[in-house]
Amino acid sequence: MRAQGYIVAIDGPAGAGKSTIAKGVAQALGIARVDTGAIYRTLTLLALERGLDEEPKVVALLDELDLRFRGEQVFLGDRDVSLAIRTPKVTAAVSRISAMPGVRNGLLELQRRLGRADPQGALLEGRDIGTVVFPDAEVKIFLTASAEERARRRLKDLEAAGERTTHAEVLAAIVARDAYDSSRPVAPLVRAFDAITVDSTGKTLDEVIGEICGIVRARLAG
Ligand code: DC
């Protein structure tokens, strides 16, 4: 494996198991992981708390986005917002906020800085890492799974977090969010032409993590 830092981009729709898989892959490779969805979620939380909805006002909030990752925790200033950014309210609002061109532009530099912070390299997970944020990433993975399977997994997570909902409700939300995320004019969820698709349907976490690590190692060796 090359000594120079490298970037692994993992993009894909909601609920494909991205976060858990990204965590496992980054750990196995010994590189940092940046959850870019958490960045959009934290900004959304701040906007909701301030009651701000219009793009210029939300963009102005970026100056206050004092965001830090500490392991798996996300801090806004001194406040641990790891749980607050995962509530259904934030999840419902984040698509709209993340579709604002000014927001996406404003967050580009932050994502690139976080990705380049570790000389070893980093794994970034999101929707447009391989297409927009790091189009020159050494390895690009497009991680997907059937909508049914993604809904099953999301439901389990929500139930574990004490939320009351149903499979049908979660499936409908996933389908709606996919459609919105893939059709928005700014940075839609599309597979980078040079990304390798990994379908996690019916596979265990370890299988998918192993598959991606194999792809990364093969790419870096070649
Ligand atoms: O992966 P997630 O569910 O935490 O992402 C939250 C939202 O942020 C999702 O609606 C898509 C958006 N997002 C994005 O537009 N670009 C990214 N790089 C990451 C997330």
Side-chain angles (χ1 to χ4, degrees):
M1 213 175 273
R2 74 180 80 177
Q4 278 278 313
Y6 59 94
I7 298 288
V8 178
I10 301 189
D11 291 305
K18 241 182 0 227
S19 287
T20 319
I21 289 164
K23 214 180 296 172
V25 172
Q27 216 162 40
L29 297 171
I31 56 174
R33 163 185 169 240
V34 182
D35 172 3
T36 63
I39 303 175
Y40 286 96
R41 285 174 178 276
T42 305
L43 179 67
T44 302
L45 175 71
L46 200 55
L48 286 173
E49 287 178 347
R50 301 282 173 85
L52 300 177
D53 200 28
E54 293 157 37
E55 182 165 348
K57 291 188 177 158
V58 178
V59 171
L61 272 184
L62 289 172
D63 291 336
E64 291 180 46
L65 196 70
D66 176 17
L67 186 86
R68 263 162 247 180
F69 287 98
R70 285 186 209 147
E72 290 314 309
Q73 287 162 304
V74 186
F75 284 82
L76 178 60
D78 290 335
R79 189 174 144 213
D80 182 350
V81 294
S82 318
L83 293 179
I85 62 170
R86 309 262 166 221
T87 61
K89 209 169 151 196
V90 170
T91 301
V94 66
S95 271
R96 200 166 34 78
I97 298 282
S98 62
M100 296 175 176
V103 164
R104 304 205 71 87
N105 258 330
L107 288 178
L108 263 183
E109 268 321 301
L110 171 65
Q111 294 175 85
R112 288 180 179 149
R113 200 170 64 239
L114 290 170
R116 294 283 182 214
D118 193 327
Q120 291 277 318
L123 179 155
L124 290 93
E125 50 160 305
R127 301 291 194 284
D128 62 341
I129 307 303
T131 48
V132 179
V133 183
F134 282 107
D136 58 347
E138 278 75 8
V139 187
K140 298 181 188 179
I141 305 288
F142 193 78
L143 183 65
T144 187
S146 71
E148 278 286 335
E149 171 122 355
R150 289 188 282 134
R152 267 196 300 277
R153 291 177 186 163
R154 202 65 147 191
L155 182 64
K156 246 168 77 184
D157 288 350
L158 288 171
E159 283 174 345
E163 301 289 340
R164 278 225 216 135
T165 178
T166 63
H167 177 79
E169 227 170 65
V170 177
L171 180 61
I174 281 186
V175 171
R177 195 140 71 103
D178 279 359
Y180 189 87
D181 287 345
S182 0
S183 65
R184 67 184 176 204
V186 182
L189 173 64
V190 286
R191 181 186 164 280
F193 75 93
D194 51 351
I196 297 174
T197 299
V198 173
D199 189 334
S200 67
T201 311
K203 294 176 190 161
T204 67
L205 271 180
D206 285 346
E207 281 170 345
V208 183
I209 291 168
E211 189 177 334
I212 296 177
C213 287
I215 293 170
V216 174
R217 292 194 173 106
R219 271 287 160 105
L220 296 180

